[in-house]
Amino acid sequence: MTDDVRSVPTLELRRYLGLWFEVGRLPLRFEDDRATDVTAEYTMAEDGTVTVDNRCRDEDGKPTRALGQAVPDAEHPGRLQVTFLPEALRWIPFTKADYWVLRVDEEYRHALVGTPDRKHLWLLSREPQVEDAVEWSFLDTARDQGFDLDPWIRPAQSGQVVAV
């Protein structure tokens, strides 16, 4: 394990945009551990920020949605700052969270995203399921960067995007 979490040195943000299915994640206080059909869709806004549209079904099957905004770091292409506060409150300091792309494959089909404090980690895919070998390879990258994967959660995916 190395001391520092490392983001990718280059990221073609326009290729990263679009719909991603959550293959797995570390537990989040703001997301139900039994959530299903978890997706994230990224679109470029006119001002150069990225709109983040997270959707899932909670454990009762109720659709939920969180809309946020990501701001790319001009000095570190694989790093963004994300907030899910209402638009009128996004000016408040210290309300953005780190969102670092730790690995993305050449085709931009799979991505590993985490935070430098190692508390948050997601494995994303353009498809609802991934081959075991792909998942293991990406999770090995996380382990190499010091992430504890014991509490890893794999949400059920039907392949559907939750309508809200």
Side-chain angles (χ1 to χ4, degrees), residues 4-160:
D4 295 326
V5 173
R6 296 169 312 283
S7 60
V8 294
T10 60
L11 181 71
E12 294 178 48
L13 189 55
R14 292 213 178 268
R15 290 184 67 197
Y16 190 81
L17 300 175
L19 180 66
W20 292 92
F21 293 89
E22 183 182 271
V23 174
R25 71 175 179 282
L26 290 178
L28 301 166
R29 63 178 167 76
F30 49 86
E31 187 172 320
D32 185 341
D33 287 354
R34 290 177 288 280
T36 62
D37 293 323
V38 183
T39 59
E41 187 165 12
Y42 305 99
T43 54
M44 186 68 71
E46 288 183 21
D47 64 0
T49 62
V50 176
T51 301
V52 181
D53 185 350
N54 290 341
R55 298 179 185 205
C56 68
R57 292 190 188 288
D58 67 16
E59 68 177 303
D60 298 323
K62 178 184 171 192
T64 62
R65 180 184 202 188
L67 282 173
Q69 179 189 57
V71 178
D73 182 332
E75 294 182 24
H76 301 280
R79 300 177 185 181
L80 296 98
Q81 291 279 303
V82 179
T83 180
F84 286 92
L85 283 177
E87 193 169 344
L89 299 177
R90 291 181 182 163
W91 60 270
I92 299 173
F94 310 111
T95 58
K96 293 183 174 80
D98 290 314
Y99 180 98
W100 290 11
V101 179
L102 309 179
R103 180 176 170 191
V104 64
D105 61 7
E106 289 181 17
E107 296 81 28
Y108 281 67
R109 305 299 301 159
H110 307 96
L112 184 69
V113 178
T115 57
D117 62 7
R118 296 183 180 90
K119 290 182 180 179
H120 304 290
L121 185 73
W122 299 266
L123 177 56
L124 306 175
S125 174
R126 298 294 188 177
E127 302 297 326
Q129 280 81 35
V130 299
E131 295 177 16
D132 288 344
V134 170
E135 181 176 2
W136 295 332
S137 175
F138 274 77
L139 293 182
D140 280 346
T141 299
R143 283 185 197 94
D144 289 346
Q145 292 203 35
F147 285 86
D148 175 12
L149 301 179
D150 284 344
W152 191 246
I153 297 169
R154 289 179 179 87
Q157 286 285 1
S158 69
Q160 300 295 314

